[in-house]
Amino acid sequence: MPLRNVERTPSAVWTALAAGNERFMNFNEDRPNQDAPRRRELRDGQKPAAVVISCSDSRVPVELIFDVGLGDLFVVRTAGEILDQAVFASIEYAIESIGVPLVIVMGHESCGAVAATASALDGGAIPGGYQRVLVEKVAPSILEAKADGKTSIEDFEKHHVVATVNQILSRSPEIHDKVNAGKVGIIGLRYQLSDGKTMPVISRNVGLD
Ligand SMILES: [Zn+2]
């Protein structure tokens, strides 16, 4: 069922987006909502189905990966999908003011921010300027993963997504309460560059937990 027609519940939205990702993986895209009528329809407002916090990496284009179009997703992208006040404000706006029922956190295979942080923690160079913030924000995730016995970059990427989801829930009472009440779902994904799949690594209220 097209995303715009699904019931606005966390699990229904996730099911539709997962189906879109399947189409993308299989080169069988519908490419919905990318025509002139849709553009005109959106003049009057938006009703996206999910808010997505994704890495800015050019290989992770969110709308393409889920085979959706204009007005379908409210997207925040930062290198390493790191969180700050502006990101939290954007997520809370999407939930409280637009009424999206689903939060997606999406990391990915071969993430430069995770690799740079892992290298810095191993004694490598710490990037200068504002890039230092990337390392500061990703480092706790990698240290947690290491404390848990994890050693591979893949595991660091997965755990950074898990830690980011947990941070959203622990730092925003607004989001936490809506997730606890079942009104909003949250899912963390690791996008696999090699085959195009968005692999769930943590979730609440989307029918996988
Ligand atoms: Zn990345």
Side-chain angles (χ1 to χ4, degrees), residues 108-129:
H108 64 100
E109 180 179 3
S110 185
C111 182
V114 172
T117 306
S119 158
L121 289 173
D122 280 342
I126 298 176

Side-chain angles (χ1 to χ4, degrees), residues 21-125:
N21 180 231
E22 281 283 324
R23 295 193 300 274
F24 170 77
M25 278 175 67
N26 298 318
F27 303 102
N28 186 30
E29 295 98 325
D30 289 342
R31 297 196 176 87
N33 297 339
Q34 297 172 34
D35 54 7
R38 175 64 166 175
R39 214 162 52 191
R40 282 195 295 274
E41 175 194 343
L42 289 170
R43 277 182 312 199
D44 299 328
Q46 61 169 331
K47 211 176 174 188
V51 52
V52 183
I53 303 93
S54 161
C55 185
S56 300
D57 193 298
S58 63
R59 301 165 294 176
V60 190
V62 178
E63 279 89 350
L64 293 182
I65 287 170
F66 290 110
D67 191 25
V68 295
L70 302 171
D72 287 332
L73 297 175
F74 193 92
V75 180
V76 190
R77 294 178 69 177
T78 58
E81 67 273 5
I82 57 171
L83 304 171
D84 66 7
Q85 280 192 326
V87 176
F88 271 102
S90 300
I91 305 170
E92 289 188 359
Y93 172 75
I95 292 174
E96 308 273 334
S97 299
I98 309 182
V100 307
L102 179 64
V103 179
I104 295 175
V105 174
M106 191 157 74
H108 64 100
E109 180 179 3
S110 185
C111 182
V114 172
T117 306
S119 158
L121 289 173
D122 280 342

Side-chain angles (χ1 to χ4, degrees), residues 3 5-17 48-50 99-103 182-186 204-207:
L3 185 62
N5 297 337
V6 304
E7 201 189 346
R8 288 174 69 81
T9 65
S11 58
V13 169
W14 169 245
T15 301
L17 289 173
V100 307
L102 179 64
V103 179
K183 293 194 173 76
V184 167
I186 188 163
R204 295 269 308 272
N205 304 339
V206 298

